[in-house]
Amino acid sequence: MDQGIDVNAIKKFYLKDNEKDPKLIANLVKDGNFGMPYLPEKLYADIRRLSMFRDQLNEDRIRNLNRLHREMKIYFPEYKDAFGKIDGAFSLELLKEAPFPDELVALGTEGMKQIWHEAKLRVRGYVNAPSILEYARKSVGIKDGADASRQAVKWFVSRIIELDGQLSDIENQLNQRCMEIPHGIFNSIVDKGKDE
């Protein structure tokens, strides 16, 4: 395309075999039955690549979150009621240190608050500690194989936190690149989105 050569795409179901393909392709081109691929350049290529990378990171995050849910359902079935949103900052910090009921009971409310304080999370969420402790005390989760699962939960949590940081970085880069789009077309759309 840089050298003035047009590139076109023809749908695969038109093609049969090597002998008939050249004539078929020539007829399709003659009849205008083809599509022009869009290959973004410069800024737009960066935006497309960042967007695709963000989608891949989101898929990884969802995959790790689903694996975390699976482990928690086995060893702490009441986790959804106890934590609410399991991928929230308070839940992730707590799961990173003490994912299962026996550890939460050993920590107590003060231990939970200490973990949150060290993670520099606001005091507002501290009110959930007694409720989480109560669910942990009454848990009916199994205990066999908990050591291996505990390691898996901690790994999934650390991976989710890492992916959150990477996603935040990608979002910032995307926003910065979108602001570079000429003529302010996209800027007005982004500005309107920020107000809502």
Side-chain angles (χ1 to χ4, degrees):
M1 290 174 77
D2 288 340
Q3 289 84 23
I5 299 171
D6 288 338
V7 177
N8 299 311
I10 295 174
K11 294 182 180 175
K12 187 178 180 180
F13 65 83
Y14 285 119
L15 305 178
K16 306 286 187 256
D17 60 36
N18 286 341
E19 288 181 23
K20 295 178 184 175
D21 286 351
K23 186 174 181 180
L24 185 64
I25 291 170
N27 284 333
L28 289 171
V29 171
K30 181 183 72 143
D31 296 339
N33 212 351
F34 58 85
M36 295 286 291
Y38 171 65
L39 299 172
E41 298 173 350
K42 301 176 186 169
L43 174 64
Y44 300 102
D46 283 345
I47 291 172
R48 177 184 246 183
R49 207 51 217 129
L50 284 169
S51 196
M52 289 169 57
F53 189 50
R54 179 186 56 191
D55 291 345
Q56 291 169 352
L57 290 176
N58 266 325
E59 288 173 10
D60 285 350
R61 187 183 189 283
I62 290 167
R63 195 174 298 116
N64 282 291
L65 190 59
N66 287 340
R67 290 173 179 162
L68 175 62
H69 279 293
R70 181 192 176 282
E71 295 297 327
M72 294 303 290
K73 282 179 186 175
I74 295 169
Y75 296 96
F76 190 11
E78 304 83 3
Y79 76 97
K80 280 188 179 179
D81 296 326
F83 294 115
K85 186 178 178 189
I86 196 164
D87 60 342
F90 281 88
S91 300
L92 290 175
E93 286 299 327
L94 198 54
L95 289 172
K96 191 166 60 171
E97 300 295 326
F100 294 149
D102 56 338
E103 294 170 309
L104 293 170
V105 169
L107 272 178
T109 56
E110 291 306 313
M112 288 183 218
K113 290 177 183 179
Q114 184 62 35
I115 289 171
W116 292 330
H117 179 74
E118 289 171 4
K120 295 181 174 65
L121 296 173
R122 291 187 210 161
V123 178
R124 188 180 55 151
Y126 290 14
V127 296
N128 295 331
S131 172
I132 293 170
L133 185 60
E134 192 58 34
Y135 280 110
R137 283 190 179 124
K138 295 178 179 176
S139 179
V140 294
I142 65 172
K143 307 252 187 283
D144 296 336
D147 290 338
S149 187
R150 182 175 292 111
Q151 286 302 112
V153 167
K154 289 180 179 183
W155 187 87
F156 295 142
V157 168
S158 66
R159 186 72 182 120
I160 290 168
I161 292 170
E162 179 185 349
L163 286 166
D164 285 344
Q166 292 171 341
L167 283 165
S168 176
D169 185 43
I170 293 286
E171 283 295 328
N172 290 337
Q173 288 182 45
L174 269 170
N175 287 336
Q176 183 181 11
R177 293 287 199 289
C178 288
M179 292 299 183
E180 296 172 17
I181 294 175
H183 309 298
I185 295 169
F186 196 77
N187 295 348
S188 63
I189 295 170
V190 171
D191 288 340
K192 286 181 183 177
K194 287 181 182 175
D195 295 339
E196 296 174 357

